[in-house]
Amino acid sequence: MRSPFELIAESITRRPAAVAALFVLVMIVALYGMGQTTMETGRDTYIDKSTPRGALLDKYMDTFKSDSIMLLFECDNVLDTDVLAYIDRLQSEIAREEYVAGTMSITDMVKQVNGGALPASEAEISMAKERVPPELLSRYLPSNMMTISAVTLAPGVSSDTRNQVIDSIESRISCSDMPPGVKVTVTGSPAFAKQMGEEINASMGVLIGAAMLLMVLAVGLLFGHVRYRFLPVFVVGTGLILTFGTMGLVGIPISMVVIGAFPVLIGIGIDYAIQFQSRFDEEARTSPLGEAVMTTIRNSGPAILYAMIATSLGFIAMWVSPVPMVRDFGLVCVMGVIFCYISALIIVPTFGMLVRYRPKAEGDASTGSSMAAYDRFLGGVAGKIARHPIPILLVLGLVALAGVHLDASIPINSDEETFVPDDMPAVVDLQKMRRVMGSTETLTLYIRGGGVTNLDTLTWMKEFGDYEVANNDKITSATSIVTYLVQYNGGRMPATQQEVDEVLKRIPEATKEKYLSGNTETVIEFGLVEMENEVALSLVDRMKSDVAWKSPPPGITATPTGMLEMFTNLMTDISESKTMMTVLGFLLIFLFLLLVYRKATAVSPVIPIIFIVGWNGAIMYLLGLDYTPLTAVLGSMTIGVASEYTILIMERFHEERRRGKELYEAIQQAVQKIGTAITVSGMTTVFGFSALLLSTFNIISNFGIVTVITVGFSLMGAILVMPAVLSVMDRFSRPTAAPASP
């Protein structure tokens, strides 16, 4: 039975124009799909709604959680009558917006103590100010030069709706009759999320453009010994279009982590294109064009396919992550490497047939002599390593072992605000607002069960809330439906169920909706001081322990939830999943190699990768880098990237052994023939990954640092460690036929 690669080769050699036309048609569909791609930020990118924690958070956000857009007013005197009238007028207009549940500012407070009307003079303002509760006054009016208005949105609104409300508010502010000297800033978490999404969208175009530009530069410098040296750039561009198009057609969103996949794909995709074109150029020098196409596809097609599958398995390991955007990163990378492989497999030989490809003469390329010298250098190094493998393996293995030990000391960062540029206006405004209002962090205790309004449950809620405030210095307040029961009952807790029911009827519905849903769900909102995520994680764990110790009445459950709980537990998710993804990546690739080669020495390509993963841990520790949702994928991504290089060298080694060459000569020839190609493609990959360093997002630029280093380590592992591994392994197993040759 003829292989699919032979059928593809025959189609290209016989009807190259038809193959090209079909590929163009697929590209048109992909271009349409690109227009359907969407951007996603917020909790949906961090937590899986299908898990109990994710489902609870989603339920809480839709039922109780109301996002607040903050308006920061600044001028010489915000208590000026004209300024107060402007704030009141603007706030009234905003309150009529759809999806706005309510507003609160200093004007509401002074009106409440002034008979429902704004004070008409400075004297009236001063008297009203004295009657406002001090805790509210200090929060909303920290000085006479600054005040804050809180715009509360309806619970459960989507991110698109929040962005529409923000746009509408900004439009109203710009068109309003603002008194001279007044400055109004829209801030708060929704404004931060909106600007972050816009920055990600803008950053994506810059990163991809920079990666392509750097790749053109690298190809121009390193790939000059072949004709049409920039063909790989076109191949990668095609692969990206197919990837983007598929994302749009199947509904995979672009997130802060997914954006890092595209320079990665550019780096990996260029490697496939260079491998195919190098082999095609090599075959075209000694064979007719049609035969060169057939040999290239028949031999390099399967070999690079094995490498591509191994790379994909490293990315597939990311699918076990509990973080949705990490799983999306892995999925996009798998799609991308497949499309880049298909593009290289079809475009390179098809283009060669259409233009009647002619290789450059040996003396045409200015880089020819230097590449030949580099070939000889690699061969010489590989030969020496093969003759003395044990010292190399021991020294580099000890470095890797030290890296594995240091990896456990690398901190984990899940603070979203540290992922974005420090000078991003939304971050600056958010920090200013917090300095004005104090901490806005809360931790929610979600209470569920039949009869949450029963007296025994409400009594437990009061006792538990009072206990947490009294015994935990990180908790400043506990607000729940009980707070308003006491307030609307003359300052004391109702003593009977009948009294509870009567007081509940007197509490306004708008107030009850914030803390009570029917008779089965209620919440306690704990106000917190500012703290690091590590401290917050301990706080969440302590509250879980307190609930278990001071348990609610039978039939009632109480579980911490909310955005703070999500981001603190994200640290645990990252810590557990990064190890799980790395181990699974190794296991998948090892099983794949066993399946393909059917012998124990199939472990050979995995050994250098183990070293590289250890080196990664050491370099991250030495550079002071943190693990984030993006750098957490480094282990499994390293497995995917490095496996290609090691597999290609092993494949060429088997080919040389089948030709009858002795061990050291076979290793020398394998590294000499493949080492140059993977060096060119590896350095081009480094150029592509270097675009990540240009990102203003710290999470992406730090990822760029470690990926650039990882590719360098992958080349070292393939060129320095792999010859030693092959030398040792060959002594335990007589060489057998490999399934394909590069």
Side-chain angles (χ1 to χ4, degrees), residues 317-393:
M318 298 177 192
W319 296 357
V320 301
S321 172
V323 184
M325 60 181 171
V326 171
R327 295 200 299 268
D328 286 346
F329 179 93
L331 178 58
V332 170
C333 285
V334 170
M335 289 167 42
V337 296
I338 291 173
F339 285 132
C340 287
Y341 171 79
I342 293 173
S343 298
L345 176 69
I346 295 176
I347 292 176
V348 170
T350 302
F351 178 82
M353 290 298 297
L354 290 174
V355 300
R356 308 306 298 171
Y357 183 87
R358 291 181 300 103
K360 283 186 175 181
E362 293 293 339
D364 285 354
S366 60
T367 58
S369 57
S370 60
M371 296 305 288
Y374 183 68
D375 284 347
R376 292 190 295 272
F377 169 75
L378 286 183
V381 170
K384 292 176 182 177
I385 291 173
R387 286 176 171 81
H388 308 284
I390 302 301
I392 293 291
L393 293 176

Side-chain angles (χ1 to χ4, degrees), residues 709-731:
I709 294 171
T710 293
V711 175
F713 283 164
S714 298
L715 288 173
M716 288 175 56
I719 294 172
L720 300 181
V721 181
M722 195 62 186
V725 172
L726 290 173
S727 178
V728 172
M729 287 292 184
D730 193 80
R731 299 174 188 182

Side-chain angles (χ1 to χ4, degrees), residues 47 60 86 138 142 171 180 187 221 258 342 393 401 439 456 491 548 557 561 563 572 575 605 664 671 699 727 729 740:
I47 194 161
Y60 162 68
Y86 168 72
S138 62
S171 177
T187 183
L221 292 174
V258 170
I342 293 173
L393 293 176
L401 187 63
S439 173
D456 57 346
T557 61
T561 189
M563 298 300 287
T572 304
S575 177
Y664 301 131
V671 174
I699 186 175
S727 178
M729 287 292 184

Side-chain angles (χ1 to χ4, degrees), residues 141-160:
L141 187 72
S143 74
N144 283 2
M145 301 177 65
M146 185 182 297
T147 187
I148 283 179
S149 174
V151 179
T152 305
L153 302 179
V157 297
S158 66
S159 58
D160 289 340

